[in-house]
Amino acid sequence: GAVVSQHPSRVICKSGTSVKIECRSLDFQATTMFWYRQFPKQSLMLMATSNEGSKATYEQGVEKDKFLINHASLTLSTLTVTSAHPEDSSFYICSAEIGQPISGNTEAFFGQGTRLTVV
Amino acid sequence: KQEVTQIPAALSVPEGENLVLNCSFTDSAIYNLQWFRQDPGKGLTSLLLIQSSQREQTSGRLNASLDKSSGRSTLYIAASQPGDSATYLCAVPSSAAGNKLTFGGGTRVLVKP
């Protein structure tokens, strides 16, 4: 299957600093990528849809100024957690899809995830 | 609004036993259904994708069935091994949500040696 690479896998940062997480599609182009957050023993919660060359669309309740998304190329999307606080500590996962996005007939591939700990 | 439910939430079986994981969804107007595996602290690995026109899909010891009209999919894992221990998630694109994936809560599987 297709490969999505996410980096870093773990990061510890001080409260008030910003952290950038990268998501790359290695063997295909992705005009759309997705960012999820996962709390312990829970399923994935969609945070935002990253659109190449345009603004990301955020889910209700997700602060766009806190979670900055940039999708500057067809293979790279970045999520920056700005002015991180301990409550931002979580597991963040990205995905990209192959198929026909408009129809919904797509197959999703996920990155390895990033464990963010804010101290 | 599409809702996806997975039962049971957790499952523990001895090695060698077959696993049966259930996934149900409320809106049967789906294009496909995908099964994933997640190991602790890791991302999701795609296991199987079933198109809405298909009744089942097989990969090695894994077999997934789909009954779209009744809103159900079942993942069978034959002859389970300790390495099958993980959380299994099903997901469907939801037309009501702009074709974004709606996930079930997952089934945590433990295969005891």
Side-chain angles (χ1 to χ4, degrees), chain A residues 7 10 12 17-18 23 26 28 41 53 55-57 64-65 82 85 97 99 106 116:
Chain A
H7 178 81
R10 288 179 179 273
I12 301 173
T17 62
S18 295
C23 181
L26 295 188
F28 65 102
K41 296 190 177 181
K55 291 182 180 180
T57 52
K64 62 180 181 181
D65 294 329
T82 63
H85 287 92
E97 296 180 341
T106 58
L116 170 63

Side-chain angles (χ1 to χ4, degrees), chain B residues 6-11 106-109:
Chain B
Q6 289 186 247
I7 294 173
L11 187 58
T107 295
R108 291 191 306 279
V109 171

Side-chain angles (χ1 to χ4, degrees), chain A residues 25-42:
Chain A
S25 56
L26 295 188
D27 48 1
F28 65 102
Q29 294 182 333
T31 55
T32 303
M33 292 186 180
F34 301 87
W35 288 97
Y36 295 84
R37 183 171 180 174
Q38 188 177 32
F39 293 100
K41 296 190 177 181
Q42 293 189 26

Side-chain angles (χ1 to χ4, degrees), chain A residues 38 43 59 103 105 108 112, chain B residues 31-32 34 38 43 51 100 104:
Chain A
Q38 188 177 32
S43 193
E59 297 301 299
S103 72
N105 198 3
Q112 304 94 320
Chain B
Y31 291 102
N32 60 55
Q34 211 166 343
Q38 185 176 30
Q51 299 288 355
K100 298 167 192 173

Side-chain angles (χ1 to χ4, degrees), chain A residues 72-89:
Chain A
S73 78
L74 287 170
T75 59
L76 173 64
S77 173
T78 61
L79 169 67
T80 301
V81 183
T82 63
S83 186
H85 287 92
E87 57 265 31
D88 298 323
S89 298

